[in-house]
Amino acid sequence: MRQHIAGQHIAGQHIADDAIRFDGVTKIYQAGAPAALADVSLTVAAGEVAAVMGPSGSGKSTLLNLVAGLDKPTSGTVTVAGLRIDTLGETALARFRARHVGIIFQFFNLLDDLTVADNVLLPAQLAGASRRLARARAEGLLEQLGIEEHRDDYPARLSGGQRQRVAIARALVNSPELLLADEPTGALDTATGQEIGRLLRELNAAGQTLVLVTHDPALAQRYAARTLQLVDGCLVPSNAAVPA
């Protein structure tokens, strides 16, 4: 079953290109075991914000890993940012991730022995970007996200919301077409989680494509144009009852 998230108008222009396309994607980790994803076909339009929901073990993390090129399908094709990534080798996949995908994690995944500024700069350095341009981009993001005064601090000195803002800046430093957020508010209190949710919505309003994995129906309803529901590795209609 194919689910499509329609393009939206951004800055007066209709965005129609697919940021993500799955065609008959199945992922089996172990012979004889149930498929983590089973014959999933979907498209997400560029400039769209999509939420992915489902109970534990439903295939959400597998879907995100396939989009990020961290895993490969057993069968089917995965196209992201116009690139067929399921056929790429590891070196090409690493280059693809550095240039096209930013990832935000539930528990931030910041390096404690690096300053805020150096955490944000790290993906740009790994991608071989000009240090001068990368520093300018990082400084701009820290200012945009309201944490520029913490550029020389270490992550342990920051609040959860501040650390998540650093993680968002790090994910955006290479100007990726696609931003993947895995439970981005799961480790935050309600008020801070809403603050991060609003920030993600602002990024999307500026044209950033976003895929949001969450257990929180309110977060999905508030910030996503549409929700993709996964159950036992299969897409189900968004209005279908989903087990907890």
Side-chain angles (χ1 to χ4, degrees), residues 23-54:
D23 286 298
V25 171
T26 293
K27 178 62 183 179
I28 300 172
Y29 286 104
Q30 186 175 353
L37 285 182
D39 193 26
V40 170
S41 294
L42 61 86
T43 57
V44 175
E48 196 65 40
V49 55
V52 180
M53 294 193 65

Side-chain angles (χ1 to χ4, degrees), residues 4 15 81 89 98 112 124 139 146 158 160 164 188:
H4 177 70
I15 307 297
D112 289 336
E139 289 293 326
L158 306 182
Q164 193 59 292
L188 305 174

Side-chain angles (χ1 to χ4, degrees), residues 57-77:
S58 62
K60 301 187 301 298
S61 294
T62 297
L63 187 148
L64 213 62
N65 287 341
L66 289 168
V67 172
L70 295 169
D71 214 338
K72 291 190 176 185
T74 305
S75 61
T77 64

Side-chain angles (χ1 to χ4, degrees), residues 1-5 51 53 217 220 225-231 234-242:
M1 177 176 62
R2 178 179 303 286
Q3 291 204 23
H4 177 70
I5 299 178
M53 294 193 65
R226 188 169 176 191
T227 299
L228 301 176
Q229 297 274 9
L230 282 170
V231 176
C234 299
L235 280 175
V236 299
S238 57
N239 58 352
V242 176

Side-chain angles (χ1 to χ4, degrees), residues 124-141:
Q125 293 170 338
L126 294 174
S130 156
R131 187 164 181 81
R132 181 180 60 83
L133 294 177
R135 281 202 171 278
R137 170 71 172 163
E139 289 293 326
L141 285 167

Side-chain angles (χ1 to χ4, degrees), residues 20 22 25 27 29 36-37 52 59-73 78 80 85-86 90 93 96-97 101 103-105 178 180-182 211 213 230:
I20 302 169
F22 278 30
V25 171
K27 178 62 183 179
Y29 286 104
L37 285 182
V52 180
K60 301 187 301 298
S61 294
T62 297
L63 187 148
L64 213 62
N65 287 341
L66 289 168
V67 172
L70 295 169
D71 214 338
K72 291 190 176 185
V78 178
V80 180
I85 66 170
D86 56 280
E90 290 306 314
L93 279 172
F96 156 78
R97 281 191 295 272
V101 178
I103 306 176
I104 305 167
F105 300 94
L178 182 61
L180 306 178
D182 189 3
V211 175
V213 170
L230 282 170

Side-chain angles (χ1 to χ4, degrees), residues 69-126:
L70 295 169
D71 214 338
K72 291 190 176 185
T74 305
S75 61
T77 64
V78 178
T79 304
V80 180
L83 300 173
R84 172 88 181 270
I85 66 170
D86 56 280
T87 60
L88 297 179
E90 290 306 314
T91 300
L93 279 172
R95 188 181 307 118
F96 156 78
R97 281 191 295 272
R99 295 179 178 176
H100 300 286
V101 178
I103 306 176
I104 305 167
F105 300 94
Q106 177 177 356
F107 295 106
F108 323 126
N109 286 21
L110 301 176
L111 298 178
D112 289 336
D113 57 344
L114 294 182
T115 65
V116 163
D118 286 338
N119 265 282
V120 173
L121 279 169
L122 186 59
Q125 293 170 338
L126 294 174

